[in-house]
Structures are given as structure tokens and as C-alpha cells.
Amino acid sequence: VYLFEVLFDYEKSLRNLLARRCFTNESMLEYFQEELKGASGKDKQGWQRKINTYINRKDQEQYEKRLPFQSFNLNDLLGLANRRGIVLDTDKVYPLRNLIMHVHELVDKKDHTADDLIYDFESFEKFCDMATQLLLDFKRVHNLWLLSKDES
């Protein structure tokens, strides 16, 4: 539950930080278009699909009432932030987000009848590394957002 709440607060702070830094939903479209230019194969199709989804929104009126970045997933928010100089660790944070949100085992189990340990220590270390990175990135994003509030 704790990591779920941290992820929620992290994503909210990231949206707020991007908006505070004067990025808009249109900035996300520009990011998608930049990524499309350098992509190939399935990646190219994925970026084109994101662009098409953005351009062909069926709920335009509802969309315009939402706060900035509410229609984009964490991976896209992280990508935009990194592309615009707010460097975050997407290699650890996003996979942890998927583990938590999709209710996967966070740490692999061993055969408790054959081993001294119930959990696989390597996967435990990996999980701890991802959780630590999430907390560090959250602290950084939240502090950047708070500092940018003071500047405006």
C-alpha cells in the first residue's frame, strides 16, 4: 500500500512539475513526434498510435476540462521529463510501477523445502533497488515542483 501511495504522489508531482515548467499537453504531442522521427518498426507504430490517439480524441470537450497531462501514462510523463532535461530513472521506476499496479510478485520465492531462504535474494535486492530509486526520484520531483512554485 505504501509504494502504491508513493507512486500516486510521484505521478501527481511529476504532472504538476511539468505544468509548472510551462509544458502542456501539446508538449507531449511534440515529444511523441520527436520520438516517431527516430523510431523504426514496432516502436514507430507505437509512437504513431500515440499521436493518432492524441489527435483523434473523441471526448475533446471533456479532455480540455482536465488538468494538464491527466490523459498520459507514467511512462510518457517520464519520457517527456527526460527529453526536456528533468532526468529521472525510467529503467527502475516504470517497471516497479507495473509490478505494483498489476499485482505481480515483487520478490521471487524459492522452494522453501529445499532452500534456507524463502525468497530469492537477487530478486529481493532488485526490488529494493527499484523501490529506493522510486523514493529518490519522488523526492527529487516533489522538491523541484515545490521550488518551482516559489519561483512563480
Side-chain angles (χ1 to χ4, degrees), residues 64-80:
E64 290 174 3
K65 291 179 184 177
R66 294 182 192 148
L67 293 172
F69 304 108
Q70 292 300 311
S71 298
F72 302 106
N73 69 38
L74 179 60
N75 201 35
D76 293 333
L77 297 171
L78 290 167
L80 176 63

Side-chain angles (χ1 to χ4, degrees), residues 7 10-11 14 50 72-79 82 88-102 130 133-134 137:
L7 278 166
Y10 176 66
E11 203 167 320
L14 183 55
K50 288 178 187 227
F72 302 106
N73 69 38
L74 179 60
N75 201 35
D76 293 333
L77 297 171
L78 290 167
N82 281 323
L88 303 168
D89 194 332
T90 58
D91 292 339
K92 293 179 184 161
V93 172
Y94 194 70
L96 178 62
R97 179 251 177 231
N98 284 344
L99 287 173
I100 292 168
M101 296 302 178
H102 299 291
M130 289 189 299
Q133 192 60 52
L134 168 64
D137 273 7

